Amino acid sequence: MTHELEDLEPSNPKEGIDHTATPDELIGSYRIASDERPRNRQFLPDLIKQNRGDPAFDKFISRLKTHLLARKRGIPFTGNEAIFDDTELSRVIIRDHHIFSHATASFNYTTYDVRRDQDTINVNSSRCNITCG
């Protein structure tokens, strides 16, 4: 029986499930780095200029502020963002017009046998794609 269970374990623990998650890290739905290193800094006007013509950047700052304000007010994301007027959105201040990019994100989930676990994606690896159902 022991050999059968060992055969079910991933051959490379770095693939798939991140086995290094601590209990505190398994609380919540996700975890994204919170560092603000200069190399991760994105100046919003430059980012929008570099991506001119990309539909994802159409009204980007307004959509970003709407998303942030809704999360701050505890409004859950349902696929359609909440609607705020210009006065409400003007109260959302993006410090120095910078946002930060991060290469990794960890997502917590419940396994088929009702245990908590965590998967990590890293955009700098060859296995950076995820499938959502």
Side-chain angles (χ1 to χ4, degrees), residues 53-121:
D54 184 337
F57 285 86
D58 183 40
K59 301 179 183 175
F60 182 76
I61 293 177
S62 174
R63 290 176 30 231
L64 175 61
K65 286 183 172 189
T66 298
H67 178 79
L68 294 172
L69 186 55
R71 299 302 82 75
K72 180 70 176 167
R73 291 188 176 172
I75 301 170
F77 180 71
T78 61
N80 297 316
E81 282 292 356
I83 298 173
F84 301 107
D85 62 33
D86 291 339
T87 303
E88 292 174 295
L89 292 179
S90 70
R91 293 183 184 135
V92 178
I93 306 298
I94 299 173
R95 188 176 54 183
D96 298 325
H97 305 287
H98 286 99
I99 59 174
F100 295 86
S101 63
H102 301 284
T104 60
S106 299
F107 299 92
N108 300 321
Y109 62 96
T110 303
T111 63
Y112 71 93
D113 57 354
V114 196
R115 295 182 184 189
R116 297 287 293 158
D117 217 332
Q118 184 178 77
D119 279 339
T120 300
I121 58 171

Side-chain angles (χ1 to χ4, degrees), residues 9-10 12-22 25 117-118 120:
E9 291 295 317
N12 181 355
K14 292 190 184 240
E15 291 181 14
I17 298 171
D18 179 5
H19 293 282
T20 60
T22 66
E25 292 173 334
D117 217 332
Q118 184 178 77
T120 300

Side-chain angles (χ1 to χ4, degrees), residues 22-66:
T22 66
D24 288 340
E25 292 173 334
L26 294 175
I27 296 172
S29 301
Y30 62 90
R31 184 174 57 87
I32 298 174
S34 61
D35 66 52
E36 295 183 1
R37 289 182 232 176
R39 68 182 176 150
N40 295 341
R41 190 178 339 199
Q42 299 283 322
F43 186 56
L44 281 173
D46 289 347
L47 184 65
I48 292 167
K49 186 176 180 181
Q50 292 166 2
N51 292 284
R52 187 178 301 134
D54 184 337
F57 285 86
D58 183 40
K59 301 179 183 175
F60 182 76
I61 293 177
S62 174
R63 290 176 30 231
L64 175 61
K65 286 183 172 189
T66 298

